[in-house]
Amino acid sequence: HHRNPFYSRPLKDSVMRILSNEKVYSGKVFNLYKTNLKDNDGSRMLRETVVHPGAVAIIPLISKNKVILVRQYRYATGKYIWELPAGTLGKREPPLACAKRELEEETGFAAGRIKKIMEFYTCPGFCTEKMHLYLAENLRPTAQKLDPDEKITYKAFSRSEIRHLVKINKIIDAKSLIGLILWLQKKI
């Protein structure tokens, strides 16, 4: 088996053979690879893949029926959006440690109890980013410790307010929709 260029283990179920793999961009958060593949039927394809270290998102419950969202400017959308607190994994950082760190940095709260809900790929068509979703409860105030390039505010929202924001398309990023819809449906 050929090794997948983004992981340390061989792809067991892959029918693809890597013909060439070139890093075309190296950035602060991710790298971009251009990979030529050959299927076992002989067909060839080109894939461009963003290789991302992974990330966490946290559903911080200030009470049973209130959740904290953060508001920040997202350049890719061209606007400020409300979303779940989230952040990119540091090098060899365990997702749980990252979730605790990001919650405190972005909201100024630490969780008395935090549990993993699920993992999912954010954009598997072109990106390796795996998101680890956590539920944080029994919050206690600490201090907001934003990164120098972050301008984030936060606010608590009730279930009815979240339901309304989702309905009128004011919550627009996938990680927040997944987490908040699970919370609204009382699945977590």
Side-chain angles (χ1 to χ4, degrees):
H1 277 289
H2 285 272
R3 287 193 169 287
N4 181 305
F6 317 127
Y7 301 100
S8 60
R9 66 189 195 295
L11 286 177
K12 292 187 176 108
D13 58 351
S14 178
V15 294
M16 301 292 169
R17 204 170 109 226
I18 297 167
L19 300 175
S20 67
N21 187 49
E22 175 190 4
K23 186 190 287 186
V24 293
Y25 174 77
S26 185
K28 181 180 137 185
V29 177
F30 63 83
N31 298 321
L32 175 63
Y33 285 81
K34 186 162 74 173
T35 308
N36 285 292
L37 300 163
K38 184 177 180 181
D39 201 337
N40 62 0
D41 69 2
S43 59
R44 294 172 182 237
M45 58 193 76
L46 171 68
R47 291 294 181 260
E48 295 169 338
T49 308
V50 172
V51 179
H52 189 283
V56 300
I58 307 102
I59 306 163
L61 299 185
I62 198 77
S63 70
K64 186 180 169 192
N65 291 304
K66 281 201 164 192
V67 65
I68 295 173
L69 297 184
V70 295
R71 183 177 184 264
Q72 63 183 314
Y73 186 77
R74 292 297 195 179
Y75 179 74
T77 68
K79 57 187 167 186
Y80 282 89
I81 64 173
W82 286 104
E83 60 186 275
L84 292 174
T88 302
L89 293 171
K91 197 170 192 162
R92 292 194 258 300
E93 182 180 29
L96 178 59
C98 183
K100 290 176 179 179
R101 176 178 55 77
E102 288 292 343
L103 175 65
E104 193 166 351
E105 284 179 5
E106 293 192 357
T107 69
F109 286 93
R113 185 170 59 230
I114 189 164
K115 70 175 183 176
K116 191 167 197 174
I117 303 300
M118 67 170 53
E119 299 174 1
F120 56 90
Y121 285 93
T122 57
C123 301
F126 67 89
C127 186
T128 66
E129 180 184 30
K130 184 187 280 187
M131 182 70 62
H132 303 264
L133 181 65
Y134 287 87
L135 178 69
E137 298 174 288
N138 299 342
L139 302 184
R140 63 184 185 283
T142 59
Q144 197 178 25
K145 303 170 190 160
L146 297 174
D147 291 335
D149 64 343
E150 290 181 316
K151 290 179 175 61
I152 296 175
T153 57
Y154 64 89
K155 180 181 169 188
F157 292 87
S158 68
R159 281 185 192 272
S160 60
E161 289 170 323
I162 293 295
R163 203 172 285 111
H164 178 70
L165 290 172
V166 168
K167 186 177 179 179
I168 65 169
N169 205 34
K170 291 294 182 187
I171 296 178
I172 58 171
D173 78 293
K175 70 180 181 309
S176 298
L177 287 167
I178 290 167
L180 293 169
I181 289 169
L182 286 172
W183 178 64
L184 288 174
Q185 294 177 345
K186 299 183 180 179
K187 303 284 186 196
I188 52 173

